[in-house]
Amino acid sequence: MTAATALFVGDVSLDLTLVIDHVPAPDEKVHVTSSCELAGGVVANAAVACARAGASTRMLMQTGDDAGSRFARTSLERVGVQVESEKVGGRTCQVVILLEPHGEKRLLLDPGVSMYPSVAQIEAVDLAGVAWIHTAVYGTAASRLVERCRATGIPWSVDLEPASFATGVASLADVIAGAAVVFCNEQAARRIGTAPAATLLAMGVGAVVLTLGSRGVRLVERGGADTPIESPVRPVVRDTTGAGDCLAGWFIAQRLRGCSAVESLPSAVLAAALSCEHPGAQASYPTPETLRAFAARAEPSRLHEQHED
């Protein structure tokens, strides 16, 4: 039997992470203490996390015709992601991440041409064997993707990036309505306004995962269930870049294994916590083996508390 596959549709980038002692003042030169260059992107990161969790994973993307496109594709394929991409004239998205010693980050993004696949790619992609689709909303092609999800009965999830709804979350109604899950970070929640989970559920979402940084997540499901989930291990935070993407990818891998939303989140939260201990996004994502070793660091009292919950 062919394994159920998750299809990730969206952005890919080249991420340059620069570790600095402090953010430069105007006209100040600050020396970088360490750096790394990796493939990135909200959706590409989630695809890598899903593949590292052991799930069958595909990525549909568009890139530029530069050397960066080859680097990004190779990085994804190296961890087992099956990549389907199209090159167009232009530069692949580039992100510069300024990272302070305590893990706080500031991002500079040059979108380039790799934020979302074309409508033609969405129309042509084979959905046979796809059991879950995950996307961010950076282009009009996302609406056509969701139309195909509805027509085929494939559940989909959306990473709600604040930049994608500058005119209000209602502008994404055609993509959000009917989504199995929406992942919403604190910045996106603030942009939605008061009661962000209730707002999204009213728009037709099945469940909302509100990511809360070091406090874990809240899962708010249709029907009233509101479940807080924390990591039983407190990580030594070095870099929070891509932690939410890691959580989404691990969550989806668990859903492919037949777990419910609430059953899928504890290991996803733990994976996201572990990713914060290492610099860079994709390179920091755990395998099941490294996650088990990380979980062993949990204090018995915290494990007991989660069991009681």
Side-chain angles (χ1 to χ4, degrees):
M1 180 181 295
T2 303
T5 296
L7 175 64
F8 293 78
V9 181
D11 60 317
V12 65
S13 65
L14 301 177
D15 291 1
L16 174 61
T17 299
L18 305 174
V19 181
I20 54 177
D21 290 329
H22 63 278
V23 177
D27 202 31
E28 179 187 12
K29 181 185 292 184
V30 172
H31 285 240
V32 171
T33 58
S34 67
S35 65
C36 64
E37 189 168 11
L38 300 166
V42 169
V43 175
N45 287 347
V48 168
C50 189
R52 283 188 177 271
S56 174
T57 307
R58 291 166 58 192
M59 174 79 190
L60 182 68
M61 65 188 193
Q62 178 175 276
T63 68
D65 55 2
D66 53 354
S69 66
R70 295 190 294 275
F71 178 77
R73 180 174 189 132
T74 300
S75 297
L76 291 166
E77 291 176 335
R78 189 179 296 123
V79 298
V81 177
Q82 179 185 334
V83 178
E84 300 162 51
S85 66
E86 178 180 82
K87 285 186 181 181
V88 299
R91 189 166 68 180
T92 301
C93 175
Q94 296 187 0
V95 179
V96 175
I97 302 163
L98 300 179
L99 183 65
E100 295 181 81
H102 50 77
E104 186 62 50
K105 62 185 184 294
R106 290 168 173 79
L107 284 71
L108 304 172
L109 184 145
D110 177 4
V113 297
S114 62
M115 296 302 288
Y116 209 81
S118 66
V119 173
Q121 286 178 274
I122 298 298
E123 296 283 3
V125 66
D126 184 5
L127 299 183
V130 173
W132 192 284
I133 290 177
H134 180 68
T135 189
V137 188
Y138 284 122
T140 56
S143 296
R144 179 58 187 137
L145 175 67
V146 167
E147 287 175 5
R148 293 197 64 189
C149 288
R150 293 190 181 109
T152 55
I154 298 173
W156 76 94
S157 53
V158 176
D159 192 299
L160 200 59
E161 283 286 291
S164 65
F165 59 101
T167 60
V169 74
S171 64
L172 302 182
D174 61 333
V175 175
I176 287 176
V181 180
V182 168
F183 296 92
C184 182
N185 64 23
E186 291 178 291
Q187 186 180 4
R190 285 193 294 271
R191 178 159 292 183
I192 292 172
T194 57
T199 298
L200 293 169
L201 292 174
M203 293 175 69
V205 174
V208 180
V209 176
L210 294 167
T211 58
L212 307 172
S214 62
R215 292 173 289 140
V217 303
R218 276 179 57 209
L219 171 66
V220 186
E221 298 178 275
R222 181 170 298 281
D226 188 335
T227 310
I229 299 172
E230 296 183 23
S231 170
V233 183
R234 295 295 187 218
V236 179
V237 177
R238 293 186 174 88
D239 185 0
T240 60
T241 305
D245 308 332
C246 180
L247 183 143
W250 261 83
F251 174 90
I252 291 165
Q254 296 300 102
R255 294 303 302 267
L256 291 184
R257 295 185 178 104
C259 297
S260 67
V262 72
E263 292 168 339
S264 298
L265 276 170
S267 63
V269 169
L270 192 65
L274 174 53
S275 76
C276 295
E277 292 203 333
H278 305 280
Q282 294 180 12
S284 70
Y285 295 164
T287 62
E289 292 74 22
T290 56
L291 193 64
R292 282 194 291 270
F294 183 63
R297 289 165 41 184
E299 299 174 11
S301 61
R302 287 189 59 78
L303 286 174
H304 179 70
E305 287 171 8
Q306 284 216 339
H307 178 73
E308 289 295 316
D309 291 341

